[in-house]
Amino acid sequence: MDVTELRAFALALPEAEERETWGHPTFRVRDKMFLTLAADGAGGTVKATLADQAELVAQDPETWSVPAYVGKHGWVGFVIERVDPADLEPLVVEAWRTTAPKRLVKAYDEGA
């Protein structure tokens, strides 16, 4: 997966939008962040649970990491060239789901 593919995947989620914040791309739904990319495109962070974060970092610490500041809330960092899309895509969808309003998630589920 590369940055272009990840960007397209994230923006395909209902009401997802990209906004530059702190000098790098962030992805939001109704102004709430669920995914970020590094300014150089080498990696990013995705909103997750603490359990998911611990499991991913334990499995492959060269790909996954606990980011500063938001790591204590379950966010997990990733290296874009190492991450498997089969692992990242469900995390992005779940991050969007936990961030989006319930009505929007319901509409998404009914359309899926």
mmCIF file of all heavy atoms in Angstrom, residues 33-65:
data_model
loop_
_atom_site.group_PDB
_atom_site.id
_atom_site.type_symbol
_atom_site.label_atom_id
_atom_site.label_comp_id
_atom_site.label_asym_id
_atom_site.label_seq_id
_atom_site.Cartn_x
_atom_site.Cartn_y
_atom_site.Cartn_z
ATOM 1 N N MET A 33 -10.692 13.543 13.998
ATOM 2 C CA MET A 33 -9.610 12.829 13.332
ATOM 3 C C MET A 33 -9.679 11.321 13.575
ATOM 4 O O MET A 33 -9.935 10.875 14.686
ATOM 5 C CB MET A 33 -8.281 13.372 13.871
ATOM 6 C CG MET A 33 -7.169 13.327 12.902
ATOM 7 S SD MET A 33 -5.641 14.123 13.487
ATOM 8 C CE MET A 33 -6.184 15.428 14.532
ATOM 9 N N PHE A 34 -9.393 10.550 12.496
ATOM 10 C CA PHE A 34 -9.299 9.103 12.638
ATOM 11 C C PHE A 34 -8.027 8.528 12.007
ATOM 12 O O PHE A 34 -7.696 7.371 12.236
ATOM 13 C CB PHE A 34 -10.547 8.399 12.080
ATOM 14 C CG PHE A 34 -10.763 8.537 10.595
ATOM 15 C CD1 PHE A 34 -10.286 7.581 9.716
ATOM 16 C CD2 PHE A 34 -11.480 9.612 10.081
ATOM 17 C CE1 PHE A 34 -10.509 7.696 8.351
ATOM 18 C CE2 PHE A 34 -11.707 9.736 8.725
ATOM 19 C CZ PHE A 34 -11.210 8.774 7.843
ATOM 20 N N LEU A 35 -7.281 9.336 11.233
ATOM 21 C CA LEU A 35 -6.080 8.866 10.557
ATOM 22 C C LEU A 35 -5.182 10.060 10.274
ATOM 23 O O LEU A 35 -5.680 11.145 9.970
ATOM 24 C CB LEU A 35 -6.481 8.195 9.228
ATOM 25 C CG LEU A 35 -5.389 7.764 8.263
ATOM 26 C CD1 LEU A 35 -4.599 6.580 8.821
ATOM 27 C CD2 LEU A 35 -6.011 7.377 6.912
ATOM 28 N N THR A 36 -3.876 9.854 10.375
ATOM 29 C CA THR A 36 -2.916 10.891 9.988
ATOM 30 C C THR A 36 -1.838 10.263 9.122
ATOM 31 O O THR A 36 -1.601 9.059 9.183
ATOM 32 C CB THR A 36 -2.224 11.552 11.203
ATOM 33 O OG1 THR A 36 -1.304 10.635 11.779
ATOM 34 C CG2 THR A 36 -3.227 12.027 12.241
ATOM 35 N N LEU A 37 -1.186 11.092 8.335
ATOM 36 C CA LEU A 37 -0.014 10.675 7.566
ATOM 37 C C LEU A 37 1.134 11.602 7.914
ATOM 38 O O LEU A 37 0.923 12.778 8.184
ATOM 39 C CB LEU A 37 -0.289 10.746 6.063
ATOM 40 C CG LEU A 37 -1.285 9.750 5.506
ATOM 41 C CD1 LEU A 37 -1.555 10.032 4.039
ATOM 42 C CD2 LEU A 37 -0.785 8.326 5.699
ATOM 43 N N ALA A 38 2.337 11.058 7.870
ATOM 44 C CA ALA A 38 3.518 11.883 8.079
ATOM 45 C C ALA A 38 3.680 12.823 6.893
ATOM 46 O O ALA A 38 3.256 12.511 5.781
ATOM 47 C CB ALA A 38 4.755 11.005 8.223
ATOM 48 N N ALA A 39 4.284 13.963 7.117
ATOM 49 C CA ALA A 39 4.491 14.948 6.046
ATOM 50 C C ALA A 39 5.272 14.352 4.882
ATOM 51 O O ALA A 39 5.013 14.681 3.723
ATOM 52 C CB ALA A 39 5.211 16.174 6.601
ATOM 53 N N ASP A 40 6.198 13.431 5.171
ATOM 54 C CA ASP A 40 6.993 12.817 4.106
ATOM 55 C C ASP A 40 6.339 11.579 3.507
ATOM 56 O O ASP A 40 6.869 10.969 2.583
ATOM 57 C CB ASP A 40 8.388 12.469 4.610
ATOM 58 C CG ASP A 40 8.391 11.415 5.712
ATOM 59 O OD1 ASP A 40 7.312 10.885 6.073
ATOM 60 O OD2 ASP A 40 9.492 11.110 6.221
ATOM 61 N N GLY A 41 5.172 11.180 4.038
ATOM 62 C CA GLY A 41 4.450 10.028 3.501
ATOM 63 C C GLY A 41 5.025 8.682 3.901
ATOM 64 O O GLY A 41 4.571 7.645 3.428
ATOM 65 N N ALA A 42 6.011 8.668 4.788
ATOM 66 C CA ALA A 42 6.653 7.409 5.172
ATOM 67 C C ALA A 42 5.832 6.595 6.161
ATOM 68 O O ALA A 42 6.034 5.389 6.298
ATOM 69 C CB ALA A 42 8.032 7.683 5.758
ATOM 70 N N GLY A 43 4.910 7.224 6.844
ATOM 71 C CA GLY A 43 4.127 6.517 7.854
ATOM 72 C C GLY A 43 2.927 7.325 8.255
ATOM 73 O O GLY A 43 2.563 8.320 7.621
ATOM 74 N N GLY A 44 2.298 6.888 9.319
ATOM 75 C CA GLY A 44 1.133 7.592 9.817
ATOM 76 C C GLY A 44 0.680 6.997 11.133
ATOM 77 O O GLY A 44 1.360 6.146 11.718
ATOM 78 N N THR A 45 -0.477 7.436 11.573
ATOM 79 C CA THR A 45 -1.108 6.903 12.771
ATOM 80 C C THR A 45 -2.585 6.704 12.488
ATOM 81 O O THR A 45 -3.188 7.427 11.694
ATOM 82 C CB THR A 45 -0.952 7.833 13.994
ATOM 83 O OG1 THR A 45 -1.613 9.065 13.746
ATOM 84 C CG2 THR A 45 0.507 8.091 14.328
ATOM 85 N N VAL A 46 -3.157 5.712 13.137
ATOM 86 C CA VAL A 46 -4.577 5.432 12.985
ATOM 87 C C VAL A 46 -5.165 5.190 14.373
ATOM 88 O O VAL A 46 -4.535 4.574 15.233
ATOM 89 C CB VAL A 46 -4.822 4.234 12.026
ATOM 90 C CG1 VAL A 46 -4.218 2.950 12.543
ATOM 91 C CG2 VAL A 46 -6.299 4.077 11.711
ATOM 92 N N LYS A 47 -6.358 5.699 14.569
ATOM 93 C CA LYS A 47 -7.066 5.531 15.832
ATOM 94 C C LYS A 47 -7.396 4.043 16.000
ATOM 95 O O LYS A 47 -7.901 3.415 15.075
ATOM 96 C CB LYS A 47 -8.350 6.371 15.792
ATOM 97 C CG LYS A 47 -9.135 6.391 17.055
ATOM 98 C CD LYS A 47 -10.320 7.326 16.865
ATOM 99 C CE LYS A 47 -11.162 7.447 18.103
ATOM 100 N NZ LYS A 47 -12.284 8.374 17.884
ATOM 101 N N ALA A 48 -7.092 3.498 17.170
ATOM 102 C CA ALA A 48 -7.344 2.086 17.440
ATOM 103 C C ALA A 48 -7.639 1.908 18.924
ATOM 104 O O ALA A 48 -7.599 2.874 19.687
ATOM 105 C CB ALA A 48 -6.129 1.254 17.031
ATOM 106 N N THR A 49 -7.894 0.687 19.313
ATOM 107 C CA THR A 49 -8.057 0.394 20.728
ATOM 108 C C THR A 49 -6.685 0.082 21.314
ATOM 109 O O THR A 49 -5.745 -0.269 20.590
ATOM 110 C CB THR A 49 -8.984 -0.814 20.944
ATOM 111 O OG1 THR A 49 -8.350 -1.982 20.406
ATOM 112 C CG2 THR A 49 -10.347 -0.592 20.294
ATOM 113 N N LEU A 50 -6.585 0.164 22.612
ATOM 114 C CA LEU A 50 -5.324 -0.193 23.262
ATOM 115 C C LEU A 50 -5.000 -1.667 23.024
ATOM 116 O O LEU A 50 -3.834 -2.027 22.855
ATOM 117 C CB LEU A 50 -5.390 0.117 24.753
ATOM 118 C CG LEU A 50 -5.327 1.604 25.110
ATOM 119 C CD1 LEU A 50 -5.704 1.831 26.568
ATOM 120 C CD2 LEU A 50 -3.952 2.174 24.818
ATOM 121 N N ALA A 51 -6.024 -2.527 22.975
ATOM 122 C CA ALA A 51 -5.802 -3.955 22.720
ATOM 123 C C ALA A 51 -5.255 -4.175 21.315
ATOM 124 O O ALA A 51 -4.301 -4.945 21.120
ATOM 125 C CB ALA A 51 -7.094 -4.739 22.926
ATOM 126 N N ASP A 52 -5.848 -3.521 20.315
ATOM 127 C CA ASP A 52 -5.345 -3.646 18.941
ATOM 128 C C ASP A 52 -3.918 -3.124 18.840
ATOM 129 O O ASP A 52 -3.062 -3.733 18.200
ATOM 130 C CB ASP A 52 -6.234 -2.888 17.950
ATOM 131 C CG ASP A 52 -7.555 -3.575 17.682
ATOM 132 O OD1 ASP A 52 -7.669 -4.796 17.957
ATOM 133 O OD2 ASP A 52 -8.480 -2.898 17.199
ATOM 134 N N GLN A 53 -3.680 -1.996 19.476
ATOM 135 C CA GLN A 53 -2.344 -1.405 19.454
ATOM 136 C C GLN A 53 -1.316 -2.387 20.022
ATOM 137 O O GLN A 53 -0.279 -2.644 19.416
ATOM 138 C CB GLN A 53 -2.351 -0.111 20.274
ATOM 139 C CG GLN A 53 -1.012 0.568 20.398
ATOM 140 C CD GLN A 53 -1.019 1.569 21.529
ATOM 141 O OE1 GLN A 53 -0.951 1.184 22.693
ATOM 142 N NE2 GLN A 53 -1.120 2.843 21.191
ATOM 143 N N ALA A 54 -1.605 -2.953 21.185
ATOM 144 C CA ALA A 54 -0.674 -3.870 21.839
ATOM 145 C C ALA A 54 -0.421 -5.105 20.976
ATOM 146 O O ALA A 54 0.729 -5.553 20.834
ATOM 147 C CB ALA A 54 -1.206 -4.285 23.210
ATOM 148 N N GLU A 55 -1.469 -5.629 20.371
ATOM 149 C CA GLU A 55 -1.337 -6.818 19.529
ATOM 150 C C GLU A 55 -0.476 -6.530 18.295
ATOM 151 O O GLU A 55 0.423 -7.313 17.958
ATOM 152 C CB GLU A 55 -2.720 -7.302 19.106
ATOM 153 C CG GLU A 55 -2.696 -8.556 18.264
ATOM 154 C CD GLU A 55 -4.076 -9.014 17.857
ATOM 155 O OE1 GLU A 55 -5.053 -8.730 18.572
ATOM 156 O OE2 GLU A 55 -4.173 -9.653 16.792
ATOM 157 N N LEU A 56 -0.748 -5.432 17.620
ATOM 158 C CA LEU A 56 0.004 -5.093 16.404
ATOM 159 C C LEU A 56 1.484 -4.839 16.703
ATOM 160 O O LEU A 56 2.358 -5.335 15.992
ATOM 161 C CB LEU A 56 -0.620 -3.881 15.725
ATOM 162 C CG LEU A 56 -1.979 -4.139 15.077
ATOM 163 C CD1 LEU A 56 -2.675 -2.819 14.772
ATOM 164 C CD2 LEU A 56 -1.831 -4.981 13.828
ATOM 165 N N VAL A 57 1.749 -4.074 17.748
ATOM 166 C CA VAL A 57 3.143 -3.763 18.098
ATOM 167 C C VAL A 57 3.886 -5.037 18.508
ATOM 168 O O VAL A 57 5.041 -5.235 18.124
ATOM 169 C CB VAL A 57 3.208 -2.679 19.196
ATOM 170 C CG1 VAL A 57 4.626 -2.488 19.704
ATOM 171 C CG2 VAL A 57 2.656 -1.357 18.670
ATOM 172 N N ALA A 58 3.215 -5.921 19.232
ATOM 173 C CA ALA A 58 3.846 -7.179 19.643
ATOM 174 C C ALA A 58 4.145 -8.074 18.438
ATOM 175 O O ALA A 58 5.184 -8.730 18.382
ATOM 176 C CB ALA A 58 2.964 -7.915 20.643
ATOM 177 N N GLN A 59 3.237 -8.084 17.463
ATOM 178 C CA GLN A 59 3.406 -8.922 16.264
ATOM 179 C C GLN A 59 4.551 -8.450 15.387
ATOM 180 O O GLN A 59 5.301 -9.261 14.844
ATOM 181 C CB GLN A 59 2.133 -8.905 15.417
ATOM 182 C CG GLN A 59 1.032 -9.770 15.898
ATOM 183 C CD GLN A 59 -0.200 -9.632 14.996
ATOM 184 O OE1 GLN A 59 -0.170 -9.007 13.942
ATOM 185 N NE2 GLN A 59 -1.289 -10.218 15.439
ATOM 186 N N ASP A 60 4.639 -7.123 15.185
ATOM 187 C CA ASP A 60 5.629 -6.601 14.228
ATOM 188 C C ASP A 60 6.051 -5.183 14.616
ATOM 189 O O ASP A 60 5.566 -4.207 14.068
ATOM 190 C CB ASP A 60 5.037 -6.614 12.821
ATOM 191 C CG ASP A 60 6.046 -6.239 11.750
ATOM 192 O OD1 ASP A 60 7.210 -5.927 12.083
ATOM 193 O OD2 ASP A 60 5.664 -6.236 10.567
ATOM 194 N N PRO A 61 6.989 -5.073 15.567
ATOM 195 C CA PRO A 61 7.398 -3.748 16.038
ATOM 196 C C PRO A 61 8.174 -2.926 15.008
ATOM 197 O O PRO A 61 8.392 -1.738 15.215
ATOM 198 C CB PRO A 61 8.253 -4.048 17.271
ATOM 199 C CG PRO A 61 8.697 -5.454 17.107
ATOM 200 C CD PRO A 61 7.628 -6.155 16.306
ATOM 201 N N GLU A 62 8.580 -3.534 13.898
ATOM 202 C CA GLU A 62 9.237 -2.759 12.847
ATOM 203 C C GLU A 62 8.217 -2.045 11.953
ATOM 204 O O GLU A 62 8.563 -1.095 11.261
ATOM 205 C CB GLU A 62 10.149 -3.663 12.008
ATOM 206 C CG GLU A 62 11.360 -4.148 12.788
ATOM 207 C CD GLU A 62 12.296 -4.978 11.946
ATOM 208 O OE1 GLU A 62 12.359 -4.755 10.729
ATOM 209 O OE2 GLU A 62 12.969 -5.845 12.520
ATOM 210 N N THR A 63 6.986 -2.516 11.968
ATOM 211 C CA THR A 63 5.912 -1.913 11.171
ATOM 212 C C THR A 63 5.016 -1.038 12.029
ATOM 213 O O THR A 63 4.588 0.032 11.597
ATOM 214 C CB THR A 63 5.067 -3.015 10.493
ATOM 215 O OG1 THR A 63 5.922 -3.792 9.660
ATOM 216 C CG2 THR A 63 3.933 -2.418 9.665
ATOM 217 N N TRP A 64 4.709 -1.476 13.232
ATOM 218 C CA TRP A 64 3.751 -0.810 14.121
ATOM 219 C C TRP A 64 4.467 -0.226 15.321
ATOM 220 O O TRP A 64 5.441 -0.796 15.816
ATOM 221 C CB TRP A 64 2.695 -1.804 14.585
ATOM 222 C CG TRP A 64 1.966 -2.457 13.462
ATOM 223 C CD1 TRP A 64 2.222 -3.689 12.917
ATOM 224 C CD2 TRP A 64 0.876 -1.924 12.718
ATOM 225 N NE1 TRP A 64 1.350 -3.936 11.901
ATOM 226 C CE2 TRP A 64 0.513 -2.882 11.742
ATOM 227 C CE3 TRP A 64 0.168 -0.721 12.773
ATOM 228 C CZ2 TRP A 64 -0.532 -2.674 10.844
ATOM 229 C CZ3 TRP A 64 -0.873 -0.514 11.871
ATOM 230 C CH2 TRP A 64 -1.215 -1.479 10.932
ATOM 231 N N SER A 65 3.946 0.900 15.835
ATOM 232 C CA SER A 65 4.561 1.549 16.997
ATOM 233 C C SER A 65 3.502 2.279 17.808
ATOM 234 O O SER A 65 2.383 2.496 17.348
ATOM 235 C CB SER A 65 5.632 2.540 16.544
ATOM 236 O OG SER A 65 5.031 3.554 15.750
#
